[in-house]
Amino acid sequence: MGLRDNIRRVVPYTPGEQPKIKVIKLNTNECPYPPSPRVIRALKEADYERLRLYPDPVCDGFVSALSEYYGVGKDQIFVGVGSDDVLSMCFMTFFNGDKPVLFPDITYSFYDVWAEVYRIPYRQLPLREDFSVDPEDYMGENGGIVLANPNAPTGIAAGKEELERIIAGNPESVVIVDEAYIDFGGETCLPLINKYENLIVVRTMSKSRAMAGMRLGYAFGCPELIKYLNDVKFSVNSYTLNMPSLIAGAEAIRDGEYFGEITGRVRATRERCKAELKKRGFEFADSMANFIFARHPEYHAARIFEELKKRGIYVRYFNKPRIDEYLRISIGTDEEMGAFLSALDEILPEVE
Ligand code: PMP
């Protein structure tokens, strides 16, 4: 036996770059606008002497705000340190059998990493040629299902009926619908948590609530599943969310007006950007998220990516089968998208 035989060794998830220099950052689907002014005010007014105390382990203020805003019971809500933490807890809690967990071949690239780290068997099912999900693929025996809707990095939203077929067709598996981008388009499965006891809907405050830096995520499901999640969470770390996050989370959720305004602006910029990309010959599915996943029939994505980077514009390129001709472009402000499009006009004639 060697030292390394007792060590859990994994290939970690690779997050998008967070450059130290000032760039136009269209590479990690953050919100280009600041958080709600109410969040900033509440953080300024917080009593930081209370930092000597442990934070509320049940996160009651934040959970209550979510419960009121979304009209679901407090016992139907789980919260975590970003939706990565929530999803990781879901993998640990619900995917505990011998049968493979199913998810698409092209989706959020953290799913296979969690499956590996927790030693969960899994199968990646190829999306159709147009990157849509075929519900029939998910009707066989399995140990659980995870689907991002809208999907990442494609931005394609599945219909609620298709997702409901998958949820209804798998009563013995937990089906996780990762709605990280649902506030930018597509139809939520949230109302289905009252109908199906095997559904978990996961959300994040990193994109549509402009708080990636705060690390806040949450999940909705029936009280029984939420209890199992909390049991696992309290068996790993009771105090996951810190005091400032709890304050910021509750306040952001209460400011529905600001949320509507910034998500509306992102959608409008996205639609304008689609039209501009089309004019330049790019091809892409009709993204419902805060990014566009596009390819150009004549110019190679890796070259465009490099040239943009030289000009201080960061987008995301995945050197992976099926998607290595695509760029994922997060939606920034109109001004940022203008600079991106001007850079493309400079680059495209050069990079055949
Ligand atoms: N799900 C999907 C589909 C994502 O793209 C991301 C962002 N990387 C996350 C979950 C995690 O986001 P966060 O941990 O910031 O909530």
Side-chain angles (χ1 to χ4, degrees):
M1 278 282 279
L3 167 72
R4 282 161 199 84
D5 294 334
N6 288 331
I7 295 176
R8 189 181 296 263
R9 286 189 290 165
V10 288
V11 181
Y13 170 74
T14 317
E17 276 182 87
Q18 294 293 350
K20 300 284 181 293
I21 49 167
K22 191 157 169 44
V23 298
I24 294 183
K25 202 168 170 305
L26 309 176
N27 68 335
T28 49
N29 301 340
E30 288 138 331
C31 181
Y33 304 109
S36 153
R38 282 176 55 173
V39 168
I40 295 172
R41 197 179 323 127
L43 287 173
K44 280 190 182 144
E45 289 169 2
D47 174 9
Y48 287 102
E49 288 189 4
R50 289 196 54 227
L51 283 173
R52 71 189 179 80
L53 302 171
Y54 282 108
D56 175 10
V58 297
C59 308
D60 190 58
F62 180 35
V63 169
S64 298
L66 287 163
S67 164
E68 267 168 47
Y69 187 83
Y70 289 106
V72 300
K74 288 205 273 183
D75 57 357
Q76 294 177 296
I77 300 170
F78 176 78
V79 295
V81 186
S83 58
D84 281 342
D85 179 42
V86 173
L87 286 161
S88 144
M89 284 287 141
C90 287
F91 270 62
M92 205 194 295
T93 309
F94 300 127
F95 300 157
N96 203 30
D98 303 325
K99 293 177 203 155
V101 167
L102 309 179
F103 46 89
D105 60 340
I106 298 162
T107 191
Y108 186 31
S109 55
F110 223 138
Y111 300 154
D112 56 323
V113 175
W114 286 311
E116 292 282 348
V117 76
Y118 297 134
R119 304 197 178 127
I120 298 164
Y122 64 100
R123 197 176 315 139
Q124 293 166 292
L125 305 178
L127 292 174
R128 295 188 186 112
E129 202 54 42
D130 66 358
F131 294 151
S132 61
V133 172
D134 183 350
E136 291 315 312
D137 292 346
Y138 293 82
M139 295 303 168
E141 258 208 336
N142 64 74
I145 293 170
V146 197
L147 292 164
N149 191 49
N151 197 11
T154 63
I156 297 174
K160 190 172 158 199
E161 308 71 42
E162 289 171 307
L163 290 171
E164 184 164 0
R165 277 199 58 210
I166 295 172
I167 299 158
N170 288 280
E172 287 175 15
S173 303
V174 172
V175 179
I176 298 173
V177 180
D178 177 355
E179 294 192 341
Y181 301 102
I182 199 72
D183 297 321
F184 304 103
E187 209 184 338
T188 180
C189 284
L190 177 54
L192 300 180
I193 61 162
N194 293 315
K195 191 168 168 191
Y196 298 99
E197 59 177 20
N198 62 327
L199 171 64
I200 290 280
V201 174
V202 178
R203 300 269 186 93
T204 177
M205 304 195 61
S206 298
K207 328 282 177 182
S208 57
R209 303 271 177 177
M211 293 213 295
M214 213 27 125
R215 310 305 299 127
L216 287 163
Y218 49 99
F220 300 114
C222 72
E224 188 186 351
L225 292 191
I226 296 299
K227 182 192 176 303
Y228 295 140
L229 269 175
N230 273 314
D231 287 347
V232 170
K233 173 202 140 166
F234 281 98
S235 307
V236 176
N237 178 0
S238 320
Y239 304 108
T240 50
L241 275 70
N242 60 54
M243 182 265 258
S245 305
L246 291 172
I247 293 171
E251 208 51 35
I253 291 295
R254 287 192 205 108
D255 197 349
E257 198 181 322
Y258 182 80
F259 163 69
E261 188 188 314
I262 59 173
T263 49
R265 268 198 252 166
V266 169
R267 286 180 199 222
T269 305
R270 176 188 69 203
E271 295 310 309
R272 281 194 285 272
C273 192
K274 281 179 188 169
E276 291 297 326
L277 285 172
K278 213 162 254 160
K279 275 191 215 161
R280 290 161 176 82
F282 281 88
E283 296 170 353
F284 46 88
D286 193 23
S287 172
M288 291 290 123
N290 64 340
F291 52 82
I292 298 171
F293 194 57
R295 67 182 285 274
H296 200 290
E298 291 155 56
Y299 307 108
H300 202 274
R303 288 289 315 279
I304 303 176
F305 169 81
E306 288 302 333
E307 288 300 319
L308 283 169
K309 197 167 177 181
K310 278 188 206 158
R311 289 162 175 81
I313 300 172
Y314 283 42
V315 298
R316 193 90 193 256
Y317 173 69
F318 300 93
N319 194 4
K320 289 187 174 176
R322 291 189 79 186
I323 57 171
D324 61 351
E325 287 181 16
Y326 285 82
L327 294 174
R328 192 195 67 190
I329 306 141
S330 307
I331 303 300
T333 60
D334 280 326
E335 197 188 355
E336 287 172 323
M337 299 325 279
F340 160 74
L341 292 163
S342 305
L344 278 184
D345 291 337
E346 224 178 87
I347 293 166
L348 291 186
E350 292 171 14
V351 292
E352 271 167 278

